[in-house]
Amino acid sequence: GFDHYMYVENAQSLVSGSATMQQIVDSDNGQPFVSRGHSMIYLCINASIFYVCELIGVFDPQSKMYIMRLIHAMLSMLTIYYCYRITYRLANRKAALAIGILTSMLWFVPNICVKTLPENLASVLLLAAIYRLAKTRQRTYKHADDIFSGFLMGISVSFCYNMALLIIGAAISFLIKSGIKRALLLLFGA
């Protein structure tokens, strides 16, 4: 679908004053924006970026979208970084290089990164949480690691509700491998 245009159009409507937040929440082409599962936080982030663009004198829609796509491309680079770091932590440098190169060469990563979809931001947060969990070693383990990872996963759910299944999967994995304490700490953070 073309849901990424909906975020851009509604964010610009907020910035220009042609629509209020209440109008966007109540009705968007006859269907409520929120009830269709769209992230209000991500909409507000887009509106904030457009607002900052106008503060610095950028009013051209193409220039605003260039800036937005540049931000999303940088987020895409973080996915490559976290994939590399997670693999390096769990395997070795050779496998991590292969994963880093493979992730950057796959056609869908550059294609998806320029779309203004909340799933992009959610995936970066989820990978950051997984990296945090993979980075933790047994002798340096702290409860804050699980809570902070759960917090990052919880924020990713606020952008893309489907990520809740991954939190449940991580909690079940902790329950099986490490016991109920770590599973509860992860869920507490989320």
Side-chain angles (χ1 to χ4, degrees):
F2 293 97
D3 285 348
H4 62 281
Y5 292 119
M6 182 177 36
Y7 285 104
V8 172
E9 290 169 356
N10 286 324
Q12 183 57 43
S13 296
L14 284 174
V15 172
S16 66
S18 63
T20 64
M21 185 64 84
Q22 190 63 41
Q23 289 171 329
I24 291 172
V25 169
D26 287 344
S27 176
D28 181 55
N29 297 329
Q31 284 187 308
F33 188 80
V34 178
S35 70
R36 289 190 290 166
H38 298 295
S39 171
M40 293 302 293
I41 295 172
Y42 188 71
L43 174 71
C44 292
I45 289 172
N46 283 335
S48 300
I49 292 170
F50 288 154
Y51 181 74
V52 169
C53 285
E54 289 189 3
L55 278 179
I56 61 173
V58 178
F59 292 97
D60 179 40
Q62 288 182 346
S63 299
K64 287 181 182 179
M65 283 310 298
Y66 180 77
I67 292 168
M68 185 70 77
R69 288 184 173 130
L70 184 64
I71 291 168
H72 280 82
M74 287 188 283
L75 287 173
S76 177
M77 297 300 289
L78 283 177
T79 61
I80 296 167
Y81 169 77
Y82 282 124
C83 286
Y84 171 83
R85 297 298 294 173
I86 290 167
T87 308
Y88 183 77
R89 180 59 74 179
L90 297 177
N92 56 33
R93 188 172 192 278
K94 185 177 178 182
L97 281 173
I99 291 295
I101 291 170
L102 185 64
T103 305
S104 62
M105 299 290 280
L106 291 174
W107 67 269
F108 59 84
V109 174
N111 188 28
I112 290 175
C113 77
V114 296
K115 307 291 185 197
T116 52
L117 294 171
E119 289 84 359
N120 297 329
L121 186 54
S123 65
V124 171
L125 292 170
L126 185 68
L127 285 170
I130 292 170
Y131 172 64
R132 179 81 179 203
L133 292 173
K135 186 172 123 172
T136 305
R137 294 180 185 242
Q138 289 294 72
R139 56 188 159 86
T140 60
Y141 166 76
K142 297 177 185 140
H143 297 306
D145 293 328
D146 290 339
I147 293 171
F148 185 68
S149 295
F151 177 71
L152 289 174
M153 288 180 178
I155 292 174
S156 74
V157 169
S158 71
F159 292 107
C160 180
Y161 304 121
N162 302 345
M163 298 292 180
L165 295 173
L166 296 170
I167 294 175
I168 294 168
I172 290 172
S173 172
F174 274 169
L175 188 62
I176 293 169
K177 288 189 167 212
S178 304
I180 194 165
K181 186 176 183 179
R182 286 194 75 186
L184 288 176
L185 287 171
L186 183 77
L187 291 174
F188 175 73

